[in-house]
Amino acid sequence: MFSHVMVGTNDLDKAKAFYDALLGTLDVRPARVDGHRIMYLTKAGIFMVSKPINGEPATHANGGTIGFACSSPEQVEAWHAAGIANGGKPIEDPPGVREGGGIKLYLAYLRDLDGNKICAMHRMV
């Protein structure tokens, strides 16, 4: 459904270090640097982090969340731990099972270095 997702940053080098560590837990290769942005290329799509082209400061989306698919609860835990170790801020409930509407998920939430809300999610069967 999506070709790519992009969030803003005010410090590309710090964002690259953060997301390289975080997405490395999902077996995603380190970012490719392309001028004012970094790109994580996967078969499922592209995740990008960019300095705003208009030169204004990057801000996070109020109410927005970017979710990363995980293959297991252990991968969610590794993602969360890597995020905290690299400066991310844990938010909401601790990582764990959430159920509702007949769906069972294992979730973890963080704010990245620029305040973007990100989530790791494993769909449990």
Side-chain angles (χ1 to χ4, degrees):
M1 180 181 216
F2 302 107
S3 63
H4 68 280
V5 173
M6 185 179 329
V7 297
T9 186
N10 293 303
D11 189 324
L12 203 58
D13 293 332
K14 285 183 179 178
K16 183 177 184 321
F18 176 81
Y19 278 107
D20 279 359
L22 190 73
L23 298 179
T25 67
L26 307 181
D27 298 322
V28 176
R29 298 173 107 176
R32 190 176 109 204
V33 179
D34 181 25
H36 64 278
R37 68 181 164 232
I38 56 175
M39 299 185 290
Y40 297 88
L41 309 167
T42 73
K43 291 179 183 178
I46 303 168
F47 178 70
M48 294 182 281
V49 183
S50 178
K51 293 192 77 140
I53 295 171
N54 66 3
E56 296 293 321
T59 59
H60 60 275
N62 185 21
T65 303
I66 306 294
F68 294 96
C70 294
S71 60
S72 68
E74 294 79 17
Q75 194 174 46
V76 171
E77 292 284 348
W79 178 95
H80 192 255
I84 292 170
N86 286 277
K89 302 291 182 218
I91 57 172
E92 300 191 13
D93 293 332
V97 176
R98 314 289 196 281
E99 295 184 69
I103 300 171
K104 188 174 182 181
L105 306 170
Y106 197 93
L107 299 170
Y109 290 91
L110 295 170
R111 292 267 179 198
D112 74 4
L113 305 178
D114 292 286
N116 297 296
K117 184 178 178 183
I118 53 178
C119 171
M121 180 184 75
H122 170 64
R123 287 187 173 96
M124 303 176 83
V125 180

